Structures are given as structure tokens and as C-alpha cells.
Amino acid sequence: MFSIGELSKRTKVKVSTIRYYEEMGLLAEAERTSGNQRRYDKAGLERLSFIRHARDLGFSIEAISSLIELQDHPDRSCEAATNIATSQLEEVRAKIKRLKTLEKELSRISKGCDGEGVSEDCYVLASLADHNLCDREH
């Protein structure tokens, strides 16, 4: 059995986040000692590790809840899990595309100013103040 602090250390998930996951129903409510301290078993540790890994991959709480539901019913088709993962991949790719656009624009803006002048003549500041100076929508 693990205390909430030990569970936090092992999974690198903040104590407040563990409590939140319990409230959201992602993590089963822990057993309590006579002193009302939470105690988690190995299954709780494994579930929290699963949640942490899914969060690291950017899955939403809703998606994780659906994945846990599938995990709890091993006889169900994994099609839904694949669909959830594919949807997440599409979101990540869209974010990467947007970030690449931002990178190009920020690179262009930062090259427009050598940093030698005064802020009144700064191209970076002017570009931020006037969206028309940007090369593309972002």
C-alpha cells in the first residue's frame, strides 16, 4: 500500500492532481486508514501511471476516461482506442503545423530588427502592434 505522497513520488504526479483524478473518477477512491489517510494499492499505482502517460501524450481527461473504460473491459474491441489515439495524433499534427507557421513568422520578425536602435523604431514591436506587417495569418 502506498500513501498519496509515495504515489506522487513514484509517478511524478502532484498530490493535488491525484486528488483531482479521484474526483473526476479516473482513479478509484483510495482506501482510508483509521487516521483517514489515503492508501493506494498496486492497481492504483498502475492506473495513475497510465493516466500520467496519457496526459504526457496530450490526451484530454475525457479521452483518458474513455480509454480507462476500454481498459476496464478487456473483451471490447480496441477500435475505439485506436480512434481516440488517431484523433489525438491529428490534433498533434495540427498543432505542429501551427507551431511551424509561428516559428517562421517569429524568425522573420526577429530578423527585422538588429536590436541596435531604440524601441520606438523596433520592428518586433511594430509587427506586434500591426498585424498587417505579418507575412501570413497565424
Side-chain angles (χ1 to χ4, degrees):
M1 299 296 281
F2 307 100
S3 69
I4 196 168
E6 181 64 25
L7 197 68
S8 174
K9 286 178 190 171
R10 288 177 178 246
T11 60
K12 295 182 176 64
V13 175
K14 293 179 183 178
V15 169
S16 59
T17 304
I18 295 170
R19 290 184 186 123
Y20 172 73
Y21 290 156
E22 277 187 11
E23 289 173 21
M24 297 301 296
L26 297 179
L27 188 62
E29 194 170 316
E31 293 180 25
R32 300 281 185 148
T33 65
S34 59
N36 205 30
Q37 293 181 338
R38 289 174 166 89
R39 292 286 182 225
Y40 298 87
D41 58 12
K42 185 179 178 196
L45 174 65
E46 290 170 354
R47 173 61 53 87
L48 186 56
S49 295
F50 177 94
I51 295 167
R52 168 72 194 263
H53 190 196
R55 292 297 286 159
D56 286 347
L57 291 171
F59 286 100
S60 68
I61 295 295
E62 181 181 275
I64 294 170
S65 180
S66 296
L67 292 166
I68 288 171
E69 177 71 19
L70 289 166
Q71 188 181 46
D72 287 346
H73 297 90
D75 57 323
R76 291 187 184 167
S77 168
C78 71
E79 181 181 9
T82 301
N83 291 340
I84 292 168
T86 300
S87 176
Q88 179 61 19
L89 177 60
E90 290 169 1
E91 287 182 33
V92 167
R93 286 180 173 154
K95 286 178 186 175
I96 290 170
K97 183 178 177 181
R98 184 172 184 276
L99 287 170
K100 285 182 179 180
T101 300
L102 291 176
E103 177 188 33
K104 288 177 186 174
E105 188 60 23
L106 286 168
S107 177
R108 189 190 68 74
I109 289 171
S110 63
K111 288 177 184 173
C113 185
D114 62 12
E116 297 294 321
V118 295
S119 62
E120 179 180 41
D121 300 324
C122 179
Y123 186 74
V124 172
L125 298 175
S127 296
L128 293 173
D130 184 357
H131 195 54
N132 291 322
L133 294 176
C134 293
D135 276 353
R136 60 186 63 87
E137 191 62 37
H138 49 83

